[in-house]
Amino acid sequence: LKILDYVEKKPQKSTNILRLLLHHAIATKARLIVPIQPLENPENVTIQKTVKALRIHFDEKYHIHGGSKLPVLAFYAIYQLIIDEIKRYRNCSLGNLGSHTASDRTSKSSGDIEILKNGIHYESIEVKLDKSIDANMVRVAIEKIHRFNMERYYILSHIDINKTEIKTIQTLIDETKEKHGCQIILNGILPTIKYYLRLVDDTEQFIKAYSKLVEEDSELKGIHKTTWNSIIRKYLNT
């Protein structure tokens, strides 16, 4: 508002103001470009080291939005690999990654990650970094199951299931399986990643895929990317 007031009072300065705004916009965009360093000794990378590195990356207190997308990128990187390696995902493809800021109810996608089989919704994965799984979350998933008609729906959280709603949640899961046929699967983020990494042929390829997604994602801030570089240096390049 102060800028608008300034331009109205001094219209001859409008061109300079525009240049200044564009300069700051370009500078902000440049700060988001952080090349992720490659692994120096990929033969030393283990599943245990990788899971530890991801835990640290997810748990860091960034004090800025965007960090909740990190586990989504991790799962997307894993699925990029296992779709080509596991029989269940034959003839499957990954849907495009969408914005992680849209609300679950207003989102036009079935989940954070969508797996299509012959162009039809096959599985969906919803990832929650800082929210426990509750009955309302499951009800939203059920709405999407009826809309998109997939076979499996994963809800993965970094926080435990809400213990006060376990019975309600299980009832919803059982009813959905009986009436629709879709299996709703609840689990922790890191235990699921650890399991999937056992299925991946080469852990180094996962690190490369995750690093590439972190480097290129426009919703992440510079701090998310520089932190991953620091983690690679300290925990994966040793």
Side-chain angles (χ1 to χ4, degrees), residues 72-73 75-84 89 91-97 112-117 123 125 213:
V72 176
L73 298 181
F75 278 105
Y76 199 83
I78 288 175
Y79 275 98
Q80 284 178 324
L81 301 178
I82 65 174
I83 271 183
D84 295 326
Y89 297 111
N91 299 321
C92 287
S93 61
L94 276 170
N96 295 328
L97 270 175
D112 292 318
I113 298 173
E114 298 176 305
I115 301 172
L116 310 176
K117 188 165 189 175
E123 290 184 3
I125 302 97
L213 290 169

Side-chain angles (χ1 to χ4, degrees), residues 55-73:
R55 178 187 289 111
I56 294 168
H57 201 204
F58 299 164
D59 286 346
E60 179 70 25
K61 303 300 181 185
Y62 296 104
H63 304 293
I64 192 171
H65 66 85
S68 62
K69 195 172 184 179
L70 294 173
V72 176
L73 298 181

Side-chain angles (χ1 to χ4, degrees), residues 120-138:
I120 299 172
H121 282 82
Y122 185 54
E123 290 184 3
S124 293
I125 302 97
E126 189 73 22
V127 183
K128 302 293 184 184
L129 179 63
D130 53 3
K131 294 180 181 178
S132 62
I133 299 172
D134 58 22
N136 185 60
M137 200 177 290
V138 176

Side-chain angles (χ1 to χ4, degrees), residues 6 115 214:
Y6 181 82
I115 301 172
V214 169

Side-chain angles (χ1 to χ4, degrees), residues 182-224:
C182 179
Q183 185 176 0
I184 300 175
I185 300 168
L186 314 181
N187 204 0
I189 286 175
L190 290 171
T192 306
I193 288 176
K194 187 174 183 179
Y195 168 75
Y196 276 142
L197 286 176
R198 293 175 183 150
L199 304 178
V200 171
D201 186 55
D202 186 349
T203 307
E204 178 195 357
Q205 293 306 312
F206 164 74
I207 297 293
K208 285 183 177 179
Y210 179 63
S211 294
K212 186 174 187 292
L213 290 169
V214 169
E215 180 178 322
E216 296 178 352
D217 193 275
S218 60
E219 288 186 334
L220 297 183
K221 308 303 179 187
I223 185 63
H224 303 122

